[in-house]
Each structure stands twice: as C-alpha cells, then as structure tokens.
Amino acid sequence: MERALCPVLVGREAELSQLEDALLGSNRGEAQVVVLAGDAGMGKTRLATELQRRARRLGMNVMWGGCSEADLALPYLPFLEAIGNFIRGMDLPDLRNKLGVEARELAHLFPQLAAEGVAPDLDSMQGRLRLYEAVLALLELAARDKGLLILLEDLHWSDASTRELLDYLTRRLRRERIMALVRDRSDEMRGMDPLLALIQGWRRSSVATMVELGPLTADKVAQMVIAIFDLGEEGVQDDTRDFLYERTEGNPFVLEEMLKAALDRGDIFRSKEGWTRKSLEDFELPRSVRETILLRLNRLLREEIYRLRPQLGRGAIF
C-alpha cells in the first residue's frame, strides 16, 4: 500500500499571501482576476485548494471548472462546469425570475434555465455578446450577497470560445465582489499556447495580476522535508538538503515522489531515535526530474496491470 505524505505549502507563503489579499479585495467589491502560473508540479493545485478553503471560511460562494486535454475541446467547458455545478439544486424558477431576460440567453448553455424558449442568433457577434452579458449577470448575482471565487483550471487547454468569454469577463469586471483565479502552465506558455497572447494583453491593460510559481530554493526544500516528516528542531543535514535540491531541481511534486520512493526502498526509515537515512552514496534516487516521473509512472502501470490481470484471462502475456 502506498505511503501518503502530508500535503504542505512550504515555500509558497508569499504567493499564498498575494492570493489571499486579492480574495479579500474582491470581497470588498474590488473585482480581481489572477493568473496562477507555473510548471507542472510547482503547487498550483494546492494553492488553489487552500484559497478555496479560505473563501468558504469567509462565507463566499465558490465555483470551479476546468478544461480538458481531449483533442475536441468543448466550447465554454470550464464555465459550463463551474456554473452548472453551482446552479444544480437551486430553485430554478426563482433563479429565472432574478435573471430576467438574461435567462433566455443562458439557456443556450444551461437548458434547465429555459422557460419560454431559447434566444436566437448565438453564432452571430451580437448573439455572443448577449450571452456573455448574461454570464456576467449570473456571476454578479452569485456574488451579490456573499462574494464569489471562481476557479478556472488548465486554461492552456482552452478552446477559442472559452478564451473569448474569459477575456470579455476580465475586461468587464470592475466593482463586483468577484475573484477569478485562472490556472495556467508556464511551460505551455513558452510554446504556442494561444492563452499567452491573452495574458500579455491583460498585462498591458493591467486588468489581471500574475502570480508565478518558480522552483523552491534549497532552504525551502529542507523546510518541506521537515514539515513532511515532522522533524522539529533536529532539521535536515546540509548534505541531505543539497542532495535533494539537486535531484529534484526544486520541484515540490518531484520531491514528494522521491521521498515516497525512498521510503518504499528503505533508503529513509524510522529508528528508535527517529527518522534517519542510509548513506547518500547508497541512495537509489533517480538523478533527474524526468527519471523520477518515469519511475513513478512505471510503478503505477505495473500496479494497474496486476489489478486488471484477473479480468484479462490466462491468454494475456505480461
């Protein structure tokens, strides 16, 4: 059975504080759009989860939606997911009444809001503008009494319709109690990701804030190890810190995976005196991030094969 390590946010205190300041500002009526960017494994999900927890503690409404890496991206998918989950279980007649004429426009995306048919001409420019105004009206309604945090994840996989709607909302939000947190991959942004042009435009017009997650420093790697193993004042030896920093390149996810592998192999173990390790020369930790991820993937694949083997029958060859 796989040993679980405690999720931590060590080394991300400044970024978390920046996100919380934006959340509090939005709750005062100063709408915020924040792009949380970083390479895979840098901790975007954990920061977003923690921000969601803090928003709920403030009594704010929370919506969450994400894009899919499927080849055929559905139009407006993160908004369909975020808003659709939010309105599920609501009093629909009351919601239609509060939305007024906007409900007919929203029925294009949410058929349950249709009462007197669906508005025509969604494919025209004017039709899309009416739809976008209706989405904005719904978000404003959700934020009116409690404030709203809307989390939009993996926007590097977004389709053109999603990006167009997001850009429209970003430029229209002003005094509403809304914070939109957009998660994106920095490594994707270095390539041909079409979201890059959008973000550059937001930067020029100062309508969005960037929070970028870089690698942890060697000292932050040591702090993360201390938090995971609850080492207290005994801390981490300098040679252990430097060894782990070099092998993980400061990537929090890779650090956790390497520590899990070290626990499984017995390179790190608990003695009567507490946590200890073998000599670093005896460690079998892979020498790069890529090797670590591949090692983890191979182990997961083997576990999946063994799990499915009874269903595959004796004729299967492994």
Side-chain angles (χ1 to χ4, degrees), residues 218-219 221-227 229 231-242 244 277:
D219 287 339
V221 166
Q223 290 178 26
M224 187 171 172
V225 175
I226 290 170
F229 290 101
L231 296 179
E233 294 183 0
E234 56 187 292
V236 176
Q237 297 176 8
D238 290 349
D239 57 347
T240 304
R241 174 201 63 197
D242 296 340
L244 293 173
R277 60 166 173 79

Side-chain angles (χ1 to χ4, degrees), residues 102-122:
E102 310 288 7
R104 288 190 69 212
E105 303 293 341
L106 287 167
H108 284 289
L109 302 183
F110 308 101
Q112 63 269 45
L113 292 178
E116 301 177 358
V118 178
D121 301 327
L122 179 60

Side-chain angles (χ1 to χ4, degrees), residues 94-298:
D94 180 62
L95 182 59
R96 290 190 204 102
N97 182 58
K98 290 178 178 177
L99 287 169
V101 296
E102 310 288 7
R104 288 190 69 212
E105 303 293 341
L106 287 167
H108 284 289
L109 302 183
F110 308 101
Q112 63 269 45
L113 292 178
E116 301 177 358
V118 178
D121 301 327
L122 179 60
D123 293 333
S124 70
M125 177 60 71
Q126 290 300 318
R128 291 202 303 276
L129 287 175
R130 290 197 303 271
L131 174 65
Y132 296 170
E133 278 295 307
V135 172
L136 178 61
L138 191 148
L139 296 180
E140 290 172 345
L141 180 62
R144 186 171 300 159
D145 297 327
K146 297 182 177 182
L148 172 67
L149 170 65
I150 179 167
L151 299 150
L152 303 171
E153 301 200 334
D154 298 326
L155 268 293
H156 49 280
W157 289 322
S158 60
D159 69 294
S161 298
T162 296
R163 292 191 298 273
E164 186 177 87
L165 173 55
L166 177 61
D167 187 45
Y168 185 86
L169 294 175
T170 297
R171 297 174 185 281
R172 289 280 283 113
L173 292 174
R174 286 295 179 268
R175 305 303 301 175
E176 292 78 18
R177 298 175 63 192
I178 298 174
M179 175 177 175
L181 182 66
V182 178
R183 273 182 46 196
D184 191 48
R185 287 260 296 272
S186 295
D187 44 359
E188 297 289 340
M189 287 171 60
R190 296 188 192 110
M192 299 302 293
D193 178 18
L195 194 65
L196 177 58
L198 203 61
I199 292 174
Q200 289 174 337
W202 292 345
R203 278 175 159 169
R204 286 193 297 270
S205 54
S206 301
V207 296
T209 302
M210 289 290 299
V211 177
E212 297 199 49
L213 301 181
L216 298 176
T217 64
D219 287 339
K220 293 297 185 182
V221 166
Q223 290 178 26
M224 187 171 172
V225 175
I226 290 170
I228 288 173
F229 290 101
D230 194 20
L231 296 179
E233 294 183 0
E234 56 187 292
V236 176
Q237 297 176 8
D238 290 349
D239 57 347
T240 304
R241 174 201 63 197
D242 296 340
F243 177 82
L244 293 173
Y245 175 69
E246 177 187 352
R247 295 292 180 88
T248 64
E249 301 172 15
N251 186 302
F253 170 77
V254 174
L255 175 61
E256 284 195 318
E257 293 303 309
M258 294 179 81
L259 293 175
K260 287 178 184 178
L263 284 167
D264 290 345
R265 284 193 299 265
D267 294 338
I268 297 174
F269 56 93
R270 186 186 286 277
S271 67
K272 292 181 180 179
E273 292 75 27
W275 287 106
T276 188
R277 60 166 173 79
K278 295 180 180 178
S279 169
L280 292 178
E281 288 75 16
D282 296 329
F283 265 51
E284 299 180 7
L285 295 179
R287 292 189 171 274
S288 71
V289 170
R290 180 176 178 275
E291 289 175 9
T292 302
I293 294 174
L294 288 176
L295 180 90
R296 174 74 171 147
L297 179 60
N298 287 336

